Amino acid sequence: MNFLLENWMLLLVALASGVALMLPVLTQGSGLDPQTMVQLMNRDKAVVIDVCEPDEFARGHVIGAKNLPLAQVDEKLAQLVKNKSTHVIMVCQVGARSARAAAAARKLGYENVQSLSGGLRAWVAAAMPTEKA
């Protein structure tokens, strides 16, 4: 017990470094990596929804993605994806908007909705194909 009392700073530093090492794992969430996304697209015919604004979408997007800006997800998602058990993958530039869109879709009753972790930047970094509108 004396050791703990005398070396409390050392223990605090060790604890802080442990938390810092675990932080990326804890904040990663349930986003998809590009390889898993390709598997879902090919095997399960997942629908890819790009929630970027139209000008961002026009500059580049995942091949076959449909554009539905984040602000319109609640009103128009049902028009793009009628079957709520269909696999849906939300994509944006860096992953933040797509995570919000995936949460909104789950609230609407969609069962198999995921977000691309890292967004289009991660997709491009993995050397995956894109197209321009």
Side-chain angles (χ1 to χ4, degrees):
M1 190 62 150
N2 257 353
F3 177 80
L4 296 176
L5 294 173
E6 291 173 3
N7 296 300
W8 65 272
M9 276 184 115
L10 181 63
L11 293 172
L12 186 63
V13 169
L15 181 64
S17 66
V19 169
L21 287 171
M22 291 299 296
L23 195 59
V25 174
L26 297 173
T27 59
Q28 184 178 8
S30 61
L32 293 174
D33 60 85
Q35 292 77 15
T36 305
M37 181 173 154
V38 169
Q39 289 176 351
L40 283 173
M41 291 168 66
N42 292 334
R43 185 185 61 222
D44 298 328
K45 306 296 182 221
V47 176
V48 180
I49 307 284
D50 191 313
V51 295
C52 293
E53 294 301 316
D55 61 321
E56 292 174 298
F57 182 78
R59 280 182 266 161
H61 55 273
V62 173
I63 292 177
K66 299 174 184 178
N67 186 224
L68 180 63
L70 178 61
Q72 300 174 9
V73 168
D74 289 337
E75 303 89 39
K76 297 186 178 180
L77 183 60
Q79 295 170 3
L80 289 177
V81 184
K82 299 190 185 322
N83 186 350
K84 291 190 176 187
S85 64
T86 300
H87 285 276
V88 178
I89 303 169
M90 301 291 187
V91 179
C92 68
Q93 292 297 315
V94 294
R97 286 179 285 179
S98 60
R100 289 195 311 246
R106 282 187 211 98
K107 286 182 184 176
L108 293 172
Y110 288 86
E111 303 164 8
N112 299 309
V113 181
Q114 294 182 321
S115 171
L116 176 61
S117 182
L120 189 62
R121 289 186 185 169
W123 183 262
V124 171
M128 298 295 183
T130 60
E131 65 182 353
K132 295 182 180 184

